[in-house]
Amino acid sequence: MKQIVVIGLGQFGMHLARELTKQHCEVLALDSNEHRVADLQDDVHRALICDAKDLDTLQQVISASIDEAVVCMGESIEASVLCTLHLHQIGVRRIRAKATNEDHALILKAVGAHDIIFPERETAERTARRIAHPSLMDYFPFAEDYRIMEIVTPKSLVSRSLQESELRSTFRLIVLAIKTAAGEYRFMPEAQDKLNPGDVLVVLGREFDLARFSAID
């Protein structure tokens, strides 16, 4: 079981800790506010009151053996920077940190953060894609400008086979799976597989090509 430490239990940290637990991770949640810790303690493996700005305190509850730490203290730049620095000093192998702006992100990277999280920006980008392309169900960043996306099968392709739909030749997309209306996945579908009403295509391609495909009727 993957061991994750979530530090800072604002709205983002609370949701993250609960979701990680649902994803079968062993979650240790830390915050200096006893009420926040009390609210979460029944939903994660451990929730402790802790001043993450203090290195000695962190060393008592975190070791270098954990898989990952997520610093969710974006509302306090000083606190998040000190916490990230201490995690780096402890030797945590993977540190993600929430940032409020680009300058904050640069400082976090300088003191040891491996990945930067911009929750509001990422949510806005995902929402914008869904508004601009209503058939887009979800997406996952990949290398460069490639994405893996879930897209509702356009009406014009219903009853056609994957080969007849010409997704590869026309849109340069690779179909990784088909999610049926019943919620079942058919991974690595064959060229002769038919597309049915309500099917969702899980496809890999460049963002521009995915947008072109999601725009067809």
Side-chain angles (χ1 to χ4, degrees), residues 7-8 19 28 33 39 59 61 63 70 73 81-82 85 90 93 102 110 133 139 141-142 157 160 175 180 182 193 212:
I7 305 172
E19 286 301 318
L28 167 61
N33 186 304
D39 287 343
Q59 286 177 320
V61 295
S63 71
V70 187
M73 307 162 67
V81 169
L82 283 174
L85 174 62
I90 291 170
R93 67 190 75 176
E102 295 294 341
H133 309 289
Y139 83 104
F142 207 55
L157 299 184
R160 293 188 185 183
V175 180
T180 68
D193 284 356
R212 286 197 302 130

Side-chain angles (χ1 to χ4, degrees), residues 97-125:
K98 175 183 173 183
T100 55
N101 54 52
E102 295 294 341
D103 289 338
H104 187 190
L106 287 173
I107 297 171
L108 289 169
K109 285 184 177 180
V111 298
H114 302 98
D115 293 300
I116 303 300
I117 304 168
F118 292 98
E120 292 83 3
R121 179 187 300 179
E122 292 167 9
T123 300
E125 289 175 354

